[in-house]
Amino acid sequence: MALTDERVVSEESLEFFNANGFVLVPDLLTADEVDRYGRAVAAAVTERTAAHRVPLEERSRYQQSFVQCMNLWEDRPDVAPLTFHPRIGQAAAELMQVDACRLWHDQALVKEAHGRETDAHQDHPYWPIKETNSITAWIPFVRSTVANGALGYVPGSHAIGMRKFVNIFFGEPQDILSEPEIRDVEPVFLEVPPGSVAFHHGLTVHLAGANTTDHNRWVHTIIYFPDGATRGYPYPHFSVDRGGIEVGQKIDSDATPIAWPRPTGAPIPPLPSRAFELDEKIARTGSFPRRS
């Protein structure tokens, strides 16, 4: 459990998360932080994507859903304090009910004006982590609404034993919402005001509608997993490959540092010893290699 006397997640919110696989935790960021980090993430995305911009209608189905930029904490000192924000990290640890959690990776997810919907999927099957107790913090810099692409979650889907890889990156993805276990469960769309953070379990089926507005939906996400988790599968992912983590080994390297708890005033962890070099496909799409 959290190593502080002051909890940031109420018992009611923890119970709701355990039952539903998602929850909104209010007021984790101040208005000044929302403004400062929002500007930093926007600048980072603009810089990362400057050489790869094409009109929305010319992009792949996946690219039309959102612009994705990973591991901003490594090369953006103005974004790193958000990725290692102590209140957000503590909330993640409290929701996972662990004493310490590590960063899997961060990423900006920008659903551009008139961008298409995000296909329903689970996050955890994209990651070669054996244990399934992972969580994503979803941090909007403008209010997320149904009109601009708020996330919708299938309540309870994290707890039914489903772990399906849905290939949203290429071609027409599988319709996971038609699976017998969840086809009669309506997604709940959560509108999140700036300063609040939505968390969802790595096995929660979720989706987002299209952005029907004329303004981008700016979001930063942080993925956490419990300290002590292990690599369960050999398929590639930079979060384990860069640290040389083999199947069965504890995931513990400078590419996945402890996110919480961190000593008060402790500097952001040093950058990983091997620079994060985006290959052409990742630079173009923001995604990691396709699983075989």
Side-chain angles (χ1 to χ4, degrees):
M1 184 60 76
L3 304 180
T4 178
D5 292 334
E6 182 182 354
R7 294 180 58 90
V8 296
V9 176
S10 69
E11 195 63 39
E12 293 77 13
S13 291
L14 177 58
E15 291 177 2
F16 185 91
F17 177 80
N18 287 339
N20 294 282
F22 68 94
V23 71
L24 186 150
V25 180
D27 304 324
L28 288 181
L29 296 173
T30 66
D32 176 71
E33 288 176 319
V34 170
D35 179 68
R36 182 168 74 253
Y37 293 135
R39 292 176 186 273
V41 169
V45 171
T46 299
E47 181 180 283
R48 281 273 191 98
T49 60
H52 306 282
R53 302 298 293 169
V54 295
L56 189 66
E57 62 272 13
E58 295 179 16
R59 301 180 204 171
S60 70
R61 178 187 176 99
Y62 173 66
Q63 292 169 316
Q64 289 176 357
S65 294
F66 46 71
V67 176
Q68 180 180 29
C69 292
M70 297 177 174
N71 279 30
L72 294 180
W73 72 274
E74 294 193 26
D75 58 359
R76 296 293 304 204
D78 50 354
V79 176
L82 174 60
T83 297
F84 290 90
H85 196 286
R87 284 174 58 80
I88 300 175
Q90 181 178 342
E94 290 179 3
L95 290 168
M96 290 189 291
Q97 299 180 279
V98 299
D99 290 336
C101 58
R102 290 182 175 271
L103 172 70
W104 182 246
H105 66 77
D106 68 6
Q107 59 186 359
L109 295 175
V110 184
K111 188 174 287 292
E112 294 178 291
H114 308 293
R116 70 175 294 275
E117 65 271 17
T118 302
D119 298 297
H121 62 283
Q122 297 172 296
D123 290 338
H124 199 90
Y126 300 135
W127 310 325
I129 306 173
K130 180 179 180 180
E131 299 79 9
T132 57
N133 188 19
S134 59
I135 197 168
T136 294
W138 198 85
I139 308 161
F141 300 113
V142 296
R143 183 180 182 87
S144 72
T145 65
V146 171
N148 70 11
L151 287 195
Y153 309 93
V154 178
S157 55
H158 68 303
I160 61 176
M162 178 184 289
R163 183 170 176 162
K164 285 187 176 294
F165 177 83
V166 177
N167 190 347
I168 66 173
F169 310 112
F170 305 96
E172 188 82 22
Q174 173 189 356
D175 179 15
I176 194 172
L177 296 177
S178 68
E179 293 293 321
E181 302 94 326
I182 60 173
R183 64 187 175 196
D184 295 324
V185 183
E186 287 293 323
V188 174
F189 286 86
L190 197 62
E191 296 191 331
V192 183
S196 297
V197 177
F199 291 86
H200 65 266
H201 191 283
L203 290 178
T204 300
V205 176
H206 59 286
L207 64 156
N211 183 354
T212 61
T213 75
D214 295 328
H215 304 282
N216 293 349
R217 187 214 66 188
W218 292 88
V219 168
H220 187 66
T221 72
I222 309 163
I223 301 159
Y224 304 92
F225 67 99
D227 184 33
T230 58
R231 182 172 189 169
Y233 311 97
Y235 61 80
H237 194 289
F238 57 81
S239 292
V240 283
D241 293 339
R242 296 169 68 203
I245 308 298
E246 302 292 339
V247 172
Q249 289 184 336
K250 177 182 175 181
I251 304 172
D252 177 359
S253 79
D254 54 4
T256 54
I258 291 287
W260 189 88
R262 302 184 54 75
T264 302
I268 300 302
L271 299 185
S273 56
R274 287 184 244 175
F276 183 49
E277 297 180 358
L278 296 176
D279 66 23
E280 182 180 357
K281 180 176 290 183
I282 295 175
R284 196 169 60 248
T285 70
S287 65
F288 41 86
R290 185 199 314 227
R291 277 179 54 183
S292 58

